[in-house]
Amino acid sequence: MAVLSPNDRDATAYPIQSLFVPFPFVCFTLALATDIAFWQSNNLMWQNFSAWLLCAGLVLGVIAILAGLIDLVRPRTRALRAAFPSVLLYLIILALAFLNSLVHAGDGWTAVVPYGLTLSAVTSALCLVAAAVSARKYARLAWRI
């Protein structure tokens, strides 16, 4: 059995939420790509892909939120927890994705163009903002160490 110093124990305290957050971001970004493909080709296959990607992103986003709640009660992950603006952005992204999923539940062209495409673009842009806010926090933490 290895004996860990206090610094080594802190290094092993990796937040569980960080494992799940990238998956919804990828799903929502790919939903934008499939919405653009549907807009350009009018092939219903792309609309179905968008609906499935939104569903997968929402499920994985809820799992990420639950993992974040687990991280809240773990004392060793205190320094690596997401900041409040990041959490707020994650919740806004999930709310917009849920609204986008409701829009995509419609049939035909109006299920994607213009509102579904717009919501996908806004959701993807907010994913980029959330990633930048999170990266900024981790960069400040790295400079402190």
Side-chain angles (χ1 to χ4, degrees), residues 60-107:
L60 291 168
V62 168
I63 292 171
I65 294 290
L66 293 175
L69 291 174
I70 292 171
D71 285 338
L72 279 176
V73 297
R74 290 177 61 205
R76 294 187 332 176
T77 60
R78 182 168 290 134
L80 297 174
R81 286 185 195 147
F84 180 73
S86 297
V87 174
L88 186 64
L89 277 170
Y90 296 155
L91 293 175
I92 291 171
I93 288 167
L94 286 178
L96 281 175
F98 180 73
L99 181 64
N100 196 6
S101 184
L102 293 178
V103 169
H104 276 78
D107 287 333

Side-chain angles (χ1 to χ4, degrees), residues 26-120:
V26 169
C27 288
F28 298 149
T29 304
L30 287 174
L32 173 63
T34 55
D35 282 349
I36 291 170
F38 175 74
W39 174 48
Q40 295 298 317
S41 69
N42 200 17
N43 188 345
L44 285 176
M45 171 189 67
W46 295 114
Q47 181 188 3
N48 292 333
F49 284 167
S50 293
W52 280 104
L53 283 166
L54 287 170
C55 180
L58 285 169
V59 169
L60 291 168
V62 168
I63 292 171
I65 294 290
L66 293 175
L69 291 174
I70 292 171
D71 285 338
L72 279 176
V73 297
R74 290 177 61 205
R76 294 187 332 176
T77 60
R78 182 168 290 134
L80 297 174
R81 286 185 195 147
F84 180 73
S86 297
V87 174
L88 186 64
L89 277 170
Y90 296 155
L91 293 175
I92 291 171
I93 288 167
L94 286 178
L96 281 175
F98 180 73
L99 181 64
N100 196 6
S101 184
L102 293 178
V103 169
H104 276 78
D107 287 333
W109 182 260
T110 57
V112 176
V113 179
Y115 300 116
L117 188 60
T118 304
L119 284 170
S120 291

